[in-house]
Amino acid sequence: CADWLRDAIRILQNQHNNNPLQMGKIQNLLGEKNRLEGDSNGALKEFFTGLELLTKSNENHQPTIALITHNISYLYQSHGQYSEALK
């Protein structure tokens, strides 16, 4: 991962630490970064962290939840883990 991207993510995390929607989006971006770098386990960890943040929130974050669950399913499907993708 490029240093500028790591720095940008750190800045966003510091600015939006108490905002579940923004933190969920950041975790999704981290998951995408890991997926693109070939780190499927790291990607899943970030996706599930983002999903947990959003589902624990009392606010309506359905579009972002849908995006993250799509990314989780895509990752499982790309590795032939179809039963996991359907969960």
Side-chain angles (χ1 to χ4, degrees), residues 50-78:
L51 192 59
E52 183 180 353
L53 287 168
L54 294 171
T55 56
K56 284 185 176 181
S57 171
N58 292 328
E59 300 173 31
N60 181 354
H61 302 303
Q62 291 170 334
T64 306
I65 289 171
L67 175 63
I68 293 174
T69 55
H70 167 79
N71 288 338
I72 291 168
S73 294
Y74 175 80
L75 189 58
Y76 280 132
Q77 186 179 15
S78 68

Side-chain angles (χ1 to χ4, degrees), residues 23-32 46-47 67-68 71:
M23 288 303 295
K25 289 180 178 181
I26 291 167
Q27 294 305 131
N28 184 57
L29 288 173
L30 287 168
E32 281 295 291
E46 300 297 349
F47 290 146
L67 175 63
I68 293 174
N71 288 338

Side-chain angles (χ1 to χ4, degrees), residues 4-16 26:
W4 65 267
L5 180 56
R6 208 172 294 122
D7 292 342
I9 290 169
R10 192 174 319 117
I11 290 168
L12 287 171
Q13 287 172 323
N14 288 335
Q15 289 179 344
H16 299 290
I26 291 167

